[in-house]
Amino acid sequence: MKLLNELRVLLAEDIPMNYILARKWLEEEGALVDLAVNGRIATEFVQKSEYDVILMDIMMPEKSGYDVCRDIRSVNKEVPIIMLTAKGEEIDAVVGLRLGADDYITKPFGVHELLARIAAVL
């Protein structure tokens, strides 16, 4: 059985190597993945579609993951948001969590950690 069978996931990530790998992992587990390569596109996706979970980088072009998270939380308090980022300082995690993220994963991370954290927020 696929762990993420038919789960709608928004993956907001601008680095091709990162989004190709993450998308592959998610789709192999049965998730339906929309990819946003910058913060503006992530915001547009959230305005048009509903997601079961949002995976979001912080350092993205056009609009940061922090800003997208704040925008999402202003209209939707329920959708789980997991920050996926290279920003590993404690203050970065605290800012993300205070803006409404449900979890914060520092890159690099493995598929099993990602799947476990998705399961935990669901």
Side-chain angles (χ1 to χ4, degrees):
M1 184 174 111
K2 304 277 187 183
L3 295 175
L4 306 179
N5 196 31
E6 301 295 313
L7 198 73
R8 298 245 342 160
V9 177
L10 174 60
L11 174 61
E13 169 65 62
D14 64 313
I15 299 178
M17 183 175 72
N18 292 342
Y19 67 67
I20 289 168
L21 186 58
R23 185 178 207 166
K24 177 182 176 286
W25 289 343
L26 295 164
E27 288 177 345
E28 284 176 352
E29 291 301 325
L32 306 171
V33 181
D34 285 338
L35 173 65
V37 295
N38 65 52
R40 179 188 52 77
I41 293 170
T43 299
E44 290 172 5
F45 270 119
V46 171
Q47 290 170 346
K48 295 176 184 175
S49 299
E50 290 188 23
Y51 294 96
D52 298 304
V53 66
I54 297 171
L55 307 174
M56 186 168 356
D57 190 12
I58 291 174
M59 297 180 291
M60 293 186 291
E62 298 193 37
K63 195 172 194 179
S64 78
Y66 289 144
D67 292 334
V68 177
C69 184
R70 182 184 307 111
D71 292 348
I72 292 168
R73 286 297 179 238
S74 72
V75 295
N76 184 334
K77 306 274 191 234
E78 301 301 316
V79 63
I81 299 172
I82 300 174
M83 297 282 192
L84 308 175
T85 182
K87 294 177 72 77
E89 297 295 320
E90 179 182 18
I91 189 64
D92 299 315
V94 169
V95 169
L97 294 167
R98 286 194 174 162
L99 288 173
D102 297 286
D103 202 352
Y104 191 99
I105 304 174
T106 304
K107 298 174 188 174
F109 54 86
V111 63
H112 299 292
E113 179 182 10
L114 178 61
L115 296 175
R117 289 182 183 251
I118 291 171
V121 298
L122 293 175

